Amino acid sequence: MGVGGKFWDLLKPYARHEGFDFLRNKRVAVDLSFWIVQHETAIKDRARSPHLRLTFFRTINLFSKFGAFPVFVVDGSPSPLKSEARIARFFRSSGIDSSSLPVAGDGASVERNSTFTKYIQECVELLELLGMPVAKAKGEAEALCAQLDAEGHVDACITSDSDAFLFGAKCVIKTFRSNSREPFECYYMSDVEAGLGLKRKHLIAISLLVGNDHNLNGVQGVGLDTALRFAQTFSEDEILNRLREIGNGDASLLQGEIRSVDDSVPSPDESSLKRKFSHCSFCGHPGSKRTHFKSSCEYCSTTMGEGCMKKSGGFKCSCSSCDMDRKEKEQKKQDNWQLKVLSKIALEPNFPNDAIVEMYLCNGHGYFTENDGPCISWGSPKTEMLVDFLAYHQLWEPSYIRRRMLPMLSTIFLREMAKDPVKSLLHGQYEFDSIDRLKIRYGHQFYVVKWKKLAPSLGCVSCTVPPEESDMQQDDVTEVDESIDPFDESDVPTIDINNGCYFLLTDENMDLVHAAFPEEVDRFLQEKELKELKRRKTGKLETAGSRGVQLNITEFYRSAKVYETEPGEILTKKTEPGEILSSPRAETSKEKRKPSSSNLPKSVRRRLLFD
């Protein structure tokens, strides 16, 4: 949830939609609880153990397809405030009176749902087998994600809890869609500051007013719009102190506000002076109507000898006295509104809760010190143990698991080759053969890399090549249709059999392939350029925009119209140079049709021809 009052809608205009390479070679903290809840609900009862399935496929996509280095964060023990708010939310959704709510004692917390805790433990075990680092927070996972982001240990955090900004996050990825042209919906704190003029303490003040995960109610009668307007009237340094002064019931502060409102009201003498300063009822400007009939006033632009112009509907006088009066009324309205908000805040007991403010501002959400920092490292997947784990929990075939893992293994192999180009094999049995073609998916380009299997048989990896895939392999550039996969499954490597040799085809990042095998990339580009030159010479090169272009109607429907020049002579229309269209109908029509005379009317000739 995070901040209440539809807080994400307030930030929606400042969202950025980033492309495929946004997280390339970057570290990103992932709120694992949010990940599981969001997608387990979306595909519930549609797959076996959806939390494991989605964690497996999404981790591989995040690591291999998008080139990120994910750091997964799990929740720790909930604070007493969070436990009390969770109980309140449950009772509220159940329609039970809130007065009967149990209150968590000092230092006491309510344990999380046992089923959900089991899901988290299974996902953590899966991630550790994949070689991913997992960090445990003292309390909320989004708090540790935000701290890692604020301290520079990661470049962004993936969570839907908007209170990540309150904990200090700089970049929050709210939505992550693997199968999309722009898979990341990002929010930057710098954009929020520039657009709304709100900083971290402003957001904390808004959460205190409208409610948050630790206090669902907030201040009664204060909504998001009111809280935003109130927070924008103070600087970041004074907003929280001002809330404390109001919450403590500082009478002098409220009296000062009332006094300021009274001061803005003009005195009786000033009001009387204003009433004596009359305005014309015809044109609306200062002066009398009788005077303005004789000659126009200085505010009306008319020719000499004419009176003033009649005022239009909704007319507002722009003289100095009217401007001053409008400003005073607006100020009085603003002061009255602010006084009402201050009164509502002053009536709220124990406001603001200093424990919530301190929790948002502290930087100790993980089990590490500021000097040492978190221990974050990525290892190699434990393939055989991972196969046994998924075969037990998901009932998948070992060959299916190994195929799904190959994109991750190939990414690790290419990264190692880029750092240390030593002759080695992918997964101990595949060697780099060549670049097969260029592939375009979701508007992003990949290299389709061929891996040659050295062993005489495929062993545990087996599959067949779809007919469509074998057809696509004939082209140097392949465009793949975009489809939404609710399970976020990773790309499946395909098999190519050529002269008794087995090849694996995987989609790889172009820059990563170039860093690992620069000579092979140069050779592929040269061959591709030669093929294009050869096609241009033979006239068989297809333009990029030729696909899907509708033909001209005269090209689509070839003309077979018969022309008669002299009696008994038939001329067929040529459609292309050297090509003459003739048909049996044209020949038979020679015998049936009679020579037409140009002297006959057109209607008569039409009846003779078709009747």
Side-chain angles (χ1 to χ4, degrees):
M1 172 187 166
V3 183
K6 297 182 180 180
F7 186 70
W8 279 118
D9 293 342
L10 178 65
L11 305 182
K12 189 70 174 179
Y14 309 100
R16 295 189 191 182
H17 297 277
E18 304 289 355
F20 259 70
D21 290 332
F22 173 63
L23 291 179
R24 179 77 51 190
N25 298 323
K26 294 181 181 179
R27 299 184 176 190
V28 57
V30 181
D31 183 355
L32 185 59
S33 299
F34 146 73
W35 206 342
I36 294 174
V37 170
Q38 182 188 31
H39 299 282
E40 192 271 340
T41 303
I43 64 170
K44 191 175 183 179
D45 299 331
R46 295 178 60 187
R48 180 184 177 89
S49 300
H51 59 286
L52 291 177
R53 185 186 187 99
L54 286 167
T55 301
F56 177 71
F57 288 128
R58 283 204 139 200
T59 302
I60 292 178
N61 281 331
L62 196 60
F63 186 84
S64 60
K65 181 186 291 186
F66 301 110
F69 290 88
V71 181
F72 292 89
V73 182
V74 297
D75 293 304
S77 300
S79 64
L81 290 171
K82 183 64 177 288
S83 300
E84 185 176 343
R86 185 180 300 152
I87 295 173
R89 186 182 293 114
F90 171 76
F91 275 70
R92 179 184 296 178
S93 61
S94 302
I96 302 176
D97 185 11
S98 59
S99 60
S100 60
L101 297 179
V103 179
D106 295 339
S109 61
V110 180
E111 294 299 328
R112 301 181 186 275
N113 182 279
S114 58
T115 303
F116 187 75
T117 302
K118 180 184 176 183
Y119 288 169
I120 294 291
Q121 293 174 352
E122 291 176 350
C123 290
V124 168
E125 185 177 356
L126 173 62
L127 292 170
E128 290 176 347
L129 292 176
L130 287 170
M132 298 293 107
V134 180
K136 185 175 182 179
K138 292 181 179 180
E140 302 301 314
E142 67 270 15
L144 182 54
C145 290
Q147 181 181 345
L148 294 175
D149 186 17
E151 295 178 355
H153 300 295
V154 297
D155 300 286
C157 51
I158 300 178
T159 180
S160 66
D161 284 330
S162 55
D163 56 359
F165 292 109
L166 283 59
F167 287 109
K170 297 180 180 179
C171 176
V172 175
I173 301 175
K174 180 178 180 286
T175 305
F176 165 41
R177 297 180 295 270
S178 299
N179 300 318
S180 174
R181 286 180 178 269
E182 297 176 336
F184 303 105
E185 182 182 338
C186 307
Y187 295 83
Y188 291 87
M189 188 62 191
S190 58
D191 293 342
V192 176
E193 292 179 4
L196 296 174
L198 300 177
K199 295 188 177 181
R200 182 180 178 183
K201 291 184 179 179
H202 287 117
L203 299 181
I204 295 175
I206 291 176
S207 72
L208 295 173
L209 293 171
V210 302
N212 50 69
D213 282 344
H214 310 277
N215 180 15
L216 301 180
N217 297 324
V219 177
Q220 296 297 326
V222 177
L224 183 60
D225 294 336
T226 302
L228 172 63
R229 182 179 171 186
F230 181 81
Q232 288 175 336
T233 57
F234 303 99
S235 65
E236 184 185 21
D237 296 331
E238 63 179 350
I239 178 65
L240 294 178
N241 294 331
R242 194 62 180 273
L243 288 179
R244 289 190 182 97
E245 293 173 356
I246 301 169
N248 292 334
D250 192 342
S252 61
L253 180 64
L254 293 178
Q255 290 175 1
E257 293 294 338
I258 296 173
R259 190 180 301 113
S260 64
V261 174
D262 293 338
D263 293 342
S264 63
V265 179
S267 63
D269 296 335
E270 294 176 351
S271 300
S272 62
L273 290 175
K274 286 187 177 182
R275 283 196 297 269
K276 291 179 181 178
F277 195 67
S278 62
H279 282 60
C280 176
S281 60
F282 183 77
C283 69
H285 295 133
S288 64
K289 184 177 181 181
R290 180 179 299 177
T291 305
H292 289 187
F293 268 132
K294 296 179 180 179
S295 61
S296 62
C297 65
E298 58 180 328
Y299 297 95
C300 294
S301 56
T302 59
T303 58
M304 296 297 294
E306 296 182 2
C308 292
M309 296 182 297
K310 184 177 181 180
K311 60 182 179 181
S312 58
F315 170 80
K316 291 183 180 180
C317 180
S318 58
C319 68
S320 59
S321 61
C322 292
D323 287 340
M324 184 180 298
D325 183 63
R326 281 193 294 267
K327 291 179 181 179
E328 290 176 352
K329 289 181 179 179
E330 185 65 28
Q331 183 64 35
K332 182 180 178 180
K333 183 179 178 182
Q334 170 69 16
D335 293 339
N336 288 334
W337 171 84
Q338 190 173 11
L339 181 60
K340 290 180 181 179
V341 177
L342 294 175
S343 302
K344 292 178 181 179
I345 296 174
L347 294 175
E348 192 70 25
N350 191 26
F351 185 89
N353 193 325
D354 291 333
I356 298 179
V357 177
E358 183 180 355
M359 178 191 60
Y360 282 136
L361 293 177
C362 77
N363 294 321
H365 303 289
Y367 294 97
F368 56 87
T369 61
E370 184 178 355
N371 297 329
D372 298 337
C375 182
I376 300 175
S377 61
W378 291 264
S380 299
K382 301 176 182 178
T383 307
E384 298 305 320
M385 296 179 64
L386 189 60
V387 169
D388 294 339
F389 178 85
L390 292 175
Y392 173 77
H393 288 280
Q394 296 293 112
L395 302 181
W396 289 345
E397 293 292 334
S399 58
Y400 176 83
I401 300 171
R402 291 188 174 93
R403 281 187 62 200
R404 292 294 185 172
M405 286 181 58
L406 276 172
M408 186 176 191
L409 297 175
S410 63
T411 300
I412 296 175
F413 176 79
L414 292 175
R415 287 175 177 173
E416 293 177 350
M417 288 295 296
K419 294 180 180 179
D420 186 16
V422 180
K423 185 73 173 180
S424 60
L425 300 177
L426 168 62
H427 198 38
Q429 50 185 334
Y430 301 99
E431 67 174 356
F432 184 92
D433 182 76
S434 62
I435 300 175
D436 187 68
R437 64 186 182 276
L438 187 65
K439 183 177 180 179
I440 302 176
R441 189 172 189 181
Y442 309 113
H444 191 77
Q445 295 182 344
F446 299 90
Y447 280 142
V448 179
V449 176
K450 258 187 171 183
W451 305 91
K452 183 178 181 181
K453 185 173 178 62
L454 298 183
S457 62
L458 285 176
C460 55
V461 180
S462 61
C463 70
T464 58
V465 183
E468 296 83 5
E469 183 70 24
S470 59
D471 294 340
M472 289 192 299
Q473 292 177 6
Q474 305 301 323
D475 299 331
D476 292 332
V477 180
T478 304
E479 293 186 7
V480 181
D481 294 335
E482 301 177 10
S483 59
I484 302 300
D485 183 7
F487 298 99
D488 288 330
E489 295 190 1
S490 58
D491 298 331
V492 185
T494 56
I495 303 294
D496 182 25
I497 304 175
N498 189 4
N499 297 328
C501 297
Y502 292 87
F503 299 91
L504 277 176
L505 301 178
T506 60
D507 301 340
E508 306 295 345
N509 176 259
M510 298 175 64
D511 295 334
L512 189 58
V513 175
H514 186 272
F517 300 97
E519 296 179 357
E520 296 292 337
V521 173
D522 294 339
R523 183 183 298 109
F524 170 77
L525 294 177
Q526 292 176 1
E527 292 177 355
K528 184 173 179 294
E529 186 177 358
L530 291 176
K531 288 181 181 179
E532 290 179 356
L533 292 175
K534 185 177 180 180
R535 288 177 182 177
R536 287 194 185 98
K537 291 181 180 179
T538 56
K540 295 182 180 181
L541 178 65
E542 291 186 4
T543 60
S546 62
R547 299 181 182 180
V549 178
Q550 184 177 357
L551 293 175
N552 188 291
I553 190 170
T554 58
E555 298 177 357
F556 190 80
Y557 295 101
R558 296 297 184 182
S559 174
K561 188 174 181 180
V562 178
Y563 299 91
E564 297 185 5
T565 55
E566 296 180 1
E569 182 179 357
I570 299 177
L571 177 64
T572 58
K573 183 180 179 181
K574 294 184 180 181
T575 58
E576 293 184 4
E579 181 182 359
I580 301 178
L581 292 178
S582 59
S583 63
R585 295 182 180 180
E587 296 176 359
T588 55
S589 62
K590 177 180 178 181
E591 301 174 358
K592 295 181 180 180
R593 296 176 184 174
K594 296 180 180 180
S596 61
S597 174
S598 58
N599 298 327
L600 296 176
K602 186 176 180 180
S603 59
V604 176
R605 283 184 282 140
R606 186 183 298 112
R607 287 196 297 271
L608 291 175
L609 182 61
F610 293 103
D611 290 345

